[in-house]
Amino acid sequence: MAYIGLAYPIMARKRDGPEYYDGILVGKAVEAEITPNYIDTSGYTDINDLGQKKEFAYADIALTTSDLPDTARAIALGESDGVSRDRDESGLIGLGLMRTRIVDDRVTYEAIWIHQAKLWEAAGTSGTRGETVDFQTPALEGIAEPDENGEWRTTKRFGTRNEALSWLKEKAGMEGEI
């Protein structure tokens, strides 16, 4: 199995419950890293349970995109009018991504929806052009936590890119073309 390509970083504001709205495309995907973190709960089990037991605690998120539009900054960082303030705070969001999956020469598209995330701006670098073009892209960091149902991520596979994108748009409460 191999994954190639990453596309359609989508974020949306989260309502109470598993509903999302104001979904937007956040530039073009450059890189996404989702790192689940687990806590050891084997110390809280019965004396007869000898196995190691771990439970999901949260996931670290690192997302790099080609652009971070003002609307995305408002949703992800709580900013308004392009101004960063000391008390800016993001609400909970849903975050979607799509990647291409190849197994035995069969191509499918995997859509990933993070149910409940909180993001903040990562360190950024800017520089002048030297002998070669060096692109600097916006990056966000954050965490994903389980929602009120204990769910933190949904992954679905589709036969076409359009089916995967439609599912992500539906999750994000988006209408129209991207």
Side-chain angles (χ1 to χ4, degrees):
M1 170 179 60
Y3 292 106
I4 59 168
L6 180 67
Y8 303 114
I10 291 174
M11 65 175 59
R13 298 179 196 273
K14 185 178 187 315
R15 292 189 205 277
D16 291 336
E19 284 187 42
Y20 305 88
Y21 66 102
D22 287 346
I24 62 162
L25 180 67
V26 187
K28 294 184 188 308
V30 174
E31 183 176 36
E33 184 176 337
I34 301 168
T35 308
N37 293 286
Y38 300 90
I39 55 174
D40 183 358
T41 59
S42 55
Y44 301 103
T45 58
D46 186 270
I47 196 164
N48 295 318
D49 293 331
L50 301 176
Q52 188 80 355
K53 187 171 181 193
K54 293 188 179 251
E55 291 182 16
F56 176 81
Y58 63 95
D60 290 312
I61 299 171
L63 175 65
T64 306
T65 62
S66 64
D67 188 23
L68 194 56
D70 288 343
T71 309
R73 295 184 72 82
I75 292 171
L77 307 173
E79 291 184 2
S80 61
D81 302 324
V83 178
S84 301
R85 295 177 176 83
D86 61 348
R87 298 194 196 289
D88 289 344
E89 185 175 345
S90 164
L92 294 174
I93 65 167
L95 180 64
L97 300 162
M98 185 180 72
R99 61 187 178 180
T100 305
R101 181 176 184 262
I102 300 175
V103 178
D104 297 328
D105 295 327
R106 182 170 178 256
V107 176
T108 57
Y109 298 89
E110 189 171 89
I112 302 165
W113 185 257
I114 305 295
H115 294 237
Q116 186 166 285
K118 210 163 180 99
L119 301 175
W120 50 88
E121 193 169 12
T125 304
S126 297
T128 59
R129 182 177 171 183
E131 290 183 22
T132 60
V133 176
D134 184 19
F135 293 99
Q136 288 90 31
T137 54
L140 297 170
E141 296 176 340
I143 59 169
E145 301 172 317
D147 65 12
E148 55 279 348
N149 298 318
E151 300 169 350
W152 73 275
R153 174 178 61 190
T154 299
T155 304
K156 290 188 82 166
R157 294 191 186 111
F158 298 91
T160 69
R161 175 183 290 253
N162 285 340
E163 290 172 323
L165 179 57
S166 291
W167 183 79
L168 285 173
K169 286 173 53 179
E170 182 181 319
K171 293 296 284 181
M174 294 174 72
E175 295 178 11
E177 295 295 315
I178 286 187

